[in-house]
Amino acid sequence: ELKVEQNPLFLSMQEGKNYTIYCNYSTTSDRLYWYRQDPGKSLESLFVLLSNGAVKQEGRLMASLDTKARLSTLHITAAVHDLSATYFCAVVAGGTSYGKLTFGQGTILTVHP
Amino acid sequence: ETGVTQTPRHLVMGMTNKKSLKCEQHLGHNAMYWYKQSAKKPLELMFVYNFKEQTENNSVPSRFSPECPNSSHLFLHLHTLQPEDSALYLCASSHTGTGGSPLHFGNGTRLTVT
């Protein structure tokens, strides 16, 4: 059974600081996704990582994937208040061709002055 | 505008009621999904439809009955629910295949079972 674990589950950051959210998964996967969810809102796709060593960046967020370690990271650079949200990683088990995602518990990020 | 529209946004129902959740996608996708988001639990996949055919039922109780009349519409029929079924129900859609297309989620229906 595929398990996905994120840490930390709660992250309180000061504006301007850097931090990393970790996502570990238990079995072989060929696709990893990062999503953002604002309170009362839907999930928004941030990144799709498809291969070992994949790195993607958008603004202050950068995601990477190490399939050998079964680990993805979401790095936040110089945090701003607008980044406050819940971040989820989700993994597709190897060999599955579409959206059967297994989600992590989510990391609630709060950025304060 | 997310491209995936869910109605209603909020629903309160008694345990003996029958209600339906509706989802519509305008993205030209051919796969649609129901996910359940409960407090303090990860999102759980409930059902997957690919080209209107159900391809996944993740051990969901029969009081939840999905229907997919075409690739753009998805319903979740609810009857004799339990209070523990209270949750946010999210519909999503995507392309199929191995290209890694992300799921596009609707805003969800917040269900409260009394």
Side-chain angles (χ1 to χ4, degrees):
Chain A
E1 179 189 354
L2 174 59
K3 293 186 178 179
V4 181
E5 292 189 353
Q6 290 181 231
N7 73 83
L9 300 184
F10 300 92
L11 178 53
S12 180
M13 297 178 63
Q14 270 192 309
E15 282 188 329
K17 298 293 187 180
N18 305 331
Y19 210 84
T20 300
I21 299 171
Y22 298 88
C23 174
N24 290 91
Y25 54 96
S26 61
T27 64
T28 302
S29 171
D30 52 12
R31 258 165 292 161
L32 189 140
Y33 303 84
W34 283 97
Y35 284 89
R36 168 182 172 148
Q37 186 178 35
D38 292 292
K41 299 289 184 66
S42 183
L43 279 77
E44 173 191 356
S45 176
L46 295 175
F47 300 108
V48 180
L49 302 169
L50 299 178
S51 61
N52 187 41
V55 176
K56 295 209 173 165
Q57 183 164 6
E58 180 73 34
R60 300 174 188 275
L61 301 177
M62 183 173 71
S64 66
L65 178 61
D66 181 343
T67 58
K68 295 180 181 178
R70 297 177 184 166
L71 170 69
S72 179
T73 61
L74 180 66
H75 186 73
I76 303 155
T77 302
V80 293
H81 178 72
D82 286 351
L83 291 179
S84 297
T86 301
Y87 293 84
F88 295 93
C89 64
V91 176
V92 177
T96 304
S97 63
Y98 52 85
K100 187 178 175 182
L101 303 185
T102 300
F103 280 82
Q105 312 95 308
T107 297
I108 300 174
L109 171 64
T110 305
V111 181
H112 53 88
Chain B
E1 173 59 54
T2 64
V4 179
T5 304
Q6 289 187 244
T7 55
R9 290 296 306 275
H10 301 273
L11 178 62
V12 179
M13 58 186 289
M15 289 190 285
T16 58
N17 291 159
K18 292 184 180 181
K19 296 286 184 182
S20 296
L21 311 184
K22 179 182 176 182
C23 176
E24 183 174 0
Q25 60 98 357
H26 308 277
L27 300 170
H29 293 158
N30 45 34
M32 297 188 76
Y33 314 84
W34 282 114
Y35 277 83
K36 176 183 179 181
Q37 188 175 28
S38 306
K40 302 180 181 179
K41 292 179 69 176
L43 277 84
E44 302 170 77
L45 176 66
M46 300 176 71
F47 301 104
V48 179
Y49 277 83
N50 183 27
F51 289 104
K52 304 188 301 178
E53 299 297 322
Q54 186 181 127
T55 58
E56 188 80 26
N57 176 339
N58 205 25
S59 302
V60 180
S62 60
R63 58 186 182 268
F64 296 90
S65 176
E67 177 190 1
C68 188
N70 55 60
S71 294
S72 298
H73 293 85
L74 184 65
F75 297 89
L76 188 62
H77 304 299
L78 315 171
H79 64 96
T80 58
L81 294 189
Q82 304 299 310
E84 60 264 28
D85 297 322
S86 298
L88 181 68
Y89 289 84
L90 291 163
C91 173
S93 68
S94 77
H95 292 296
T96 58
T98 57
S101 170
L103 270 63
H104 294 256
F105 285 86
N107 284 327
T109 295
R110 173 70 62 186
L111 174 65
T112 303
V113 181
T114 61

